[in-house]
Amino acid sequence: QKEVEQNSGPLSVPEGAIASLNCTYSDRGSQSFFWYRQYSGKSPELIMFIYSNGDKEDGRFTAQLNKASQYVSLLIRDSQPSDSATYLCAVTAGNNRKLIWGLGTSLAVNP
Amino acid sequence: EPEVTQTPSHQVTQMGQEVILRCVPISNHLYFYWYRQILGQKVEFLVSFYNNEISEKSEIFDDQFSVERPDGSNFTLKIRSTKLEDSAMYFCASSRQLWDTEAFFGQGTRLTVV
């Protein structure tokens, strides 16, 4: 059973701080890794994707991938109250034909 | 900005009835997906569709479910003989290509089976 695991939280950070979200996955064949943001009752919204080991930065967001450790993370710099949401990690299954999702980490950014 | 559109936003149906959930993917996308999310649970892949046929389906997607692209724009999910446990948010998504599984999601249909 291929799995994606995330700490469900809630993770609480003060406004302006760095929020660090983590995700581990079980399928060594996974090739693509995604972070989605989901507000309550809404659909997932793509924040970032990463394919290669290392860091990928986009504005206040940095995704980090370590395939050897089967670990992917998302850093949010200068956190804002509007970043308060559930962050979903999703990885492609080994055959690259579908996404396997984590349960998500709830983030609360306090003003 | 192009977006995936789903209708209806909320559907209430009697147990045992059939429902059709509708989606209009982004126009230049070639791959279409259905996912569902039961309240408080993980997003679950149901099916992917390419070139007018199913390319992958999960163990959830049994004979109760079917998908169709009846015309050049709509993509539908039919659920026959609905059960209480089918109550969930159903999300349609589309992407330009399979490798680029950077899928964009519609706003979802909340299905409530009573």
Side-chain angles (χ1 to χ4, degrees):
Chain A
Q1 180 83 355
K2 298 176 174 59
E3 297 285 344
V4 174
E5 299 293 337
Q6 298 180 252
N7 186 328
S8 62
L11 173 66
S12 183
V13 300
E15 184 174 355
I18 296 175
S20 178
L21 306 162
N22 304 312
C23 171
T24 59
Y25 60 95
S26 63
D27 185 355
R28 286 198 170 275
S30 294
Q31 298 183 50
S32 306
F33 307 86
F34 301 83
W35 283 99
Y36 282 83
R37 178 173 61 197
Q38 186 176 34
Y39 294 109
S40 181
K42 302 296 185 183
S43 61
E45 174 191 5
L46 181 68
I47 298 175
M48 289 193 69
F49 59 91
I50 185 167
Y51 302 141
S52 304
N53 276 328
D55 295 359
K56 179 182 178 182
E57 186 174 319
D58 183 1
R60 295 187 296 113
F61 299 96
T62 299
Q64 300 173 314
L65 175 62
N66 184 325
K67 290 186 178 180
S69 300
Q70 295 175 246
Y71 175 91
V72 58
S73 66
L74 179 70
L75 299 178
I76 306 174
R77 289 180 297 282
D78 188 24
S79 297
Q80 301 297 308
S82 57
D83 294 328
S84 299
T86 297
Y87 288 80
L88 306 176
C89 173
V91 308
T92 50
N95 61 8
N96 217 36
R97 289 182 176 274
K98 61 183 179 182
L99 288 179
I100 309 296
W101 298 74
L103 186 57
T105 297
S106 175
L107 172 66
V109 180
N110 305 308
Chain B
E1 183 175 320
E3 60 180 14
V4 177
T5 305
Q6 289 186 244
T7 55
S9 57
H10 191 188
Q11 174 89 47
V12 181
T13 189
Q14 295 277 341
M15 190 169 54
Q17 296 298 303
E18 174 182 288
V19 295
I20 297 176
L21 310 183
R22 292 183 166 79
C23 170
V24 179
I26 295 173
S27 62
N28 64 349
H29 286 188
L30 301 178
Y31 292 85
F32 315 119
Y33 313 85
W34 283 102
Y35 291 86
R36 78 174 184 189
Q37 188 176 31
I38 296 170
L39 186 63
Q41 297 187 23
K42 295 182 179 183
V43 175
E44 299 173 292
F45 168 80
L46 293 178
V47 66
S48 60
F49 192 86
Y50 169 71
N51 200 26
N52 287 320
E53 61 182 25
I54 291 173
S55 56
E56 184 81 12
K57 61 182 181 179
S58 71
E59 59 276 8
I60 302 169
F61 194 88
D62 59 20
D63 292 343
Q64 186 192 5
F65 296 89
S66 61
V67 290
E68 191 177 38
R69 193 142 194 255
D71 54 42
S73 59
N74 290 286
F75 179 50
T76 63
L77 174 69
K78 181 186 292 185
I79 309 175
R80 288 178 282 274
S81 189
T82 50
K83 300 174 283 197
L84 295 176
E85 54 265 38
D86 294 327
S87 296
M89 282 289 285
Y90 287 81
F91 295 111
C92 173
S94 67
S95 63
R96 288 174 296 161
Q97 52 188 325
L98 185 60
W99 171 250
D100 174 18
T101 50
E102 183 185 342
F104 294 88
F105 282 70
Q107 290 306 301
T109 294
R110 179 173 298 283
L111 176 65
T112 303
V113 182
V114 297

